[in-house]
Amino acid sequence: MLNLKKIIISIFVIMVITFISTSAFCDGSDASALFLRIVNEPGAVAMGNCAVNNIDGQSALYNPGAMGLFYLDKNFSFSLPNNTIWLKELTDNLRYKTFSIGGGVTLKQLNKSFHDKFNASLSLAYSRQKITYGEVTATEPSGEFLGINYPYEEASFYTIGLGVDFFAQLGIGYTIKNVKSELGPSPFGGGGIAKATAHDFGIIANLPFGEIFPLEITIGKHKSHKINFDFTPSYAYVKANSGDDITYFAGAETNPIAEIKRTGYSIYSGINLDQSSLFSYRVVNETEEDLVTADAEDIDKEGREIGILGILYYRWGQYSDDFGNIDIKTSGYAINLKNIIKWFDTIGPGYSNKIERYITDRFDFIFEYASYDNEEDEVYSNMAFFKINFSI
């Protein structure tokens, strides 16, 4: 009777995991722990899931090198857990959660007399991904109740990043992940629990032409202001989830972890009044390669972003996976409260107090929203992504 119970539980749970995995933008992959490939950051989701060129408070989850650049002008960042209802048109039991907290320090903070044009940062972060598959009820063929299980998969990220700013900007980072997948009891022993260690390596390079070749226009008589221009190409590369194979049950077949390679290109352009943004436009493209499934085709992603006054951002994009027969349009927006304060500094009397100046230069409070917009593919319809990030 006990073996029958275990078999029923295992078959049901494995069916759930298999279905979710092949639906989570990873169709047809031969790998395990596919939840590691899901992007849950609204700023990236809104731009077609382009994540590796983004420099923000959750960069440690998608490009540890970008985290190095983020802490060139930040000391601390905390994002509230993103709790996304995954595949909500199919079930209301799936939850995908991400969270990140980190801190860093720069050479200029340690030595204020350091070279004006050179700066470097060292940063550390802890992040977490978790997908829960809801409540699974096991019964006898007769209908007799046997028990309830709560299968899940999760990963803890420990990230170190280095950022260098000397005309151009270079970020390099490394992450070690502890991965755990618990499907429930197993007829083979071991409880259907698998653990693995994986690694991410990421780099990003920015070339800010606006700083290398400054172009400024002075306006005003009584209080002069300068209009200046930004133009920054960016290249990013990430190899993620390199590590152990996964085995759920003693004697069962091993499966490689979901190793991937992501390459991204971005161009940012903007017009500023002094240090406050008037208007910005960003284009980003990213390619994702499955390093496990030999016949898998590359996934193409593209995104766009328009920024108004550095406060309101509208984003849109497209995610195309021919191998998985997925073609999804995305959109979203962000509100940055920091730049409201910054505009008071630009057009007002300014801040002379050191504490006020520090807050003005570094404080960030951002709300982001994104959604999948493709109504033709009901599996992904009406999925919404939210994030609140605080940094200073």
Side-chain angles (χ1 to χ4, degrees):
M1 186 68 67
L2 181 59
N3 286 338
L4 177 61
K5 170 186 174 181
K6 288 185 175 181
I7 291 172
I8 292 172
I9 294 172
S10 298
I11 290 175
F12 190 85
V13 171
I14 290 171
M15 287 175 63
V16 172
I17 304 301
T18 301
F19 173 75
I20 299 305
S21 296
T22 56
S23 300
F25 291 170
C26 308
D27 298 59
S29 179
D30 297 329
S32 56
L34 291 169
F35 77 102
L36 294 172
R37 293 177 59 178
I38 298 174
V39 175
N40 195 39
E41 203 284 312
V45 170
M47 293 189 288
N49 279 357
C50 296
V52 296
N53 288 87
N54 287 1
I55 301 172
D56 58 32
Q58 287 197 358
S59 289
L61 286 161
Y62 307 108
N63 184 353
M67 187 187 81
L69 295 190
F70 180 75
Y71 285 100
L72 281 170
D73 59 2
K74 299 291 180 184
N75 291 122
F76 173 79
S77 176
F78 170 76
S79 63
L80 295 178
N82 303 22
N83 191 351
T84 302
I85 303 175
W86 192 251
L87 303 180
K88 63 186 298 183
E89 291 299 306
L90 299 180
T91 175
D92 59 1
N93 289 329
L94 306 183
R95 296 291 187 276
Y96 192 78
K97 302 177 183 180
T98 52
F99 161 81
S100 188
I101 185 171
V105 65
T106 68
L107 281 179
K108 285 188 176 180
Q109 289 177 321
L110 298 176
N111 185 354
K112 294 183 179 180
S113 63
F114 210 80
H115 193 291
D116 287 343
K117 296 295 184 180
F118 181 85
N119 196 17
S121 70
L122 179 66
S123 52
L124 300 171
Y126 170 77
S127 310
R128 191 180 182 192
Q129 289 180 328
K130 183 174 184 179
I131 186 167
T132 56
Y133 297 105
E135 182 180 286
V136 177
T137 302
T139 63
E140 293 273 14
S142 63
E144 180 183 351
F145 175 77
L146 291 176
I148 295 175
N149 292 277
Y150 299 90
Y152 68 90
E153 295 182 282
E154 66 179 5
S156 295
F157 296 56
Y158 304 91
T159 303
I160 183 169
L162 173 67
V164 177
D165 186 0
F166 186 62
F167 295 103
Q169 297 176 333
L170 177 66
I172 303 173
Y174 168 77
T175 296
I176 184 169
K177 303 177 183 178
N178 293 328
V179 183
K180 182 179 180 181
S181 180
E182 183 169 337
L183 304 185
S186 159
F188 308 106
I193 299 175
K195 295 182 179 180
T197 301
H199 313 269
D200 293 357
F201 170 76
I203 62 172
I204 184 170
N206 291 345
L207 191 60
F209 284 102
E211 295 182 17
I212 300 172
F213 306 106
L215 177 60
E216 298 180 340
I217 301 172
T218 302
I219 58 174
K221 295 181 179 179
H222 302 290
K223 183 180 180 181
S224 63
H225 295 280
K226 292 182 178 180
I227 294 179
N228 53 80
F229 304 89
D230 285 334
F231 183 79
T232 304
S234 173
Y235 167 80
Y237 169 87
V238 175
K239 187 176 182 182
N241 310 324
S242 303
D244 302 337
D245 290 347
I246 286 183
T247 303
Y248 285 97
F249 316 121
E253 181 182 355
T254 62
N255 295 100
I257 204 165
E259 187 177 16
I260 57 172
K261 180 175 71 176
R262 287 171 172 159
T263 305
Y265 304 88
S266 173
I267 294 178
Y268 172 88
S269 57
I271 304 173
N272 312 305
L273 180 66
D274 296 335
Q275 298 301 312
S276 295
S277 174
L278 288 168
F279 175 83
S280 65
Y281 180 69
R282 184 168 174 243
V283 178
V284 60
N285 288 272
E286 182 177 311
T287 301
E288 180 175 318
E289 180 181 348
D290 187 332
L291 299 180
V292 176
T293 306
D295 58 345
E297 299 178 25
D298 292 349
I299 297 172
D300 295 319
K301 314 171 190 179
E302 61 180 44
R304 305 289 185 268
E305 176 191 81
I306 291 177
I308 306 296
L309 300 179
I311 299 170
L312 179 63
Y313 295 86
Y314 177 72
R315 299 157 175 163
W316 70 99
Q318 189 156 0
Y319 178 102
S320 301
D321 177 6
D322 292 337
F323 186 69
N325 295 317
I326 302 171
D327 190 13
I328 298 174
K329 293 180 180 179
T330 61
S331 66
Y333 62 87
I335 299 173
N336 188 334
L337 297 184
K338 166 190 176 177
N339 290 317
I340 297 177
I341 298 174
K342 206 168 185 180
W343 272 106
F344 279 113
D345 184 29
T346 298
I347 63 178
Y351 303 104
S352 57
N353 183 281
K354 289 184 178 180
I355 296 176
E356 292 176 337
R357 172 58 56 190
Y358 180 84
I359 293 174
T360 303
D361 290 342
R362 292 178 174 266
F363 169 83
D364 255 328
F365 189 85
I366 302 173
F367 171 80
E368 294 181 294
Y369 168 84
S371 66
Y372 295 139
D373 301 334
N374 193 346
E375 297 179 357
E376 297 178 1
D377 196 333
E378 295 182 357
V379 173
Y380 306 107
S381 295
N382 300 316
M383 286 175 58
F385 302 76
F386 302 88
K387 185 185 78 173
I388 295 175
N389 192 89
F390 168 79
S391 63
I392 193 167

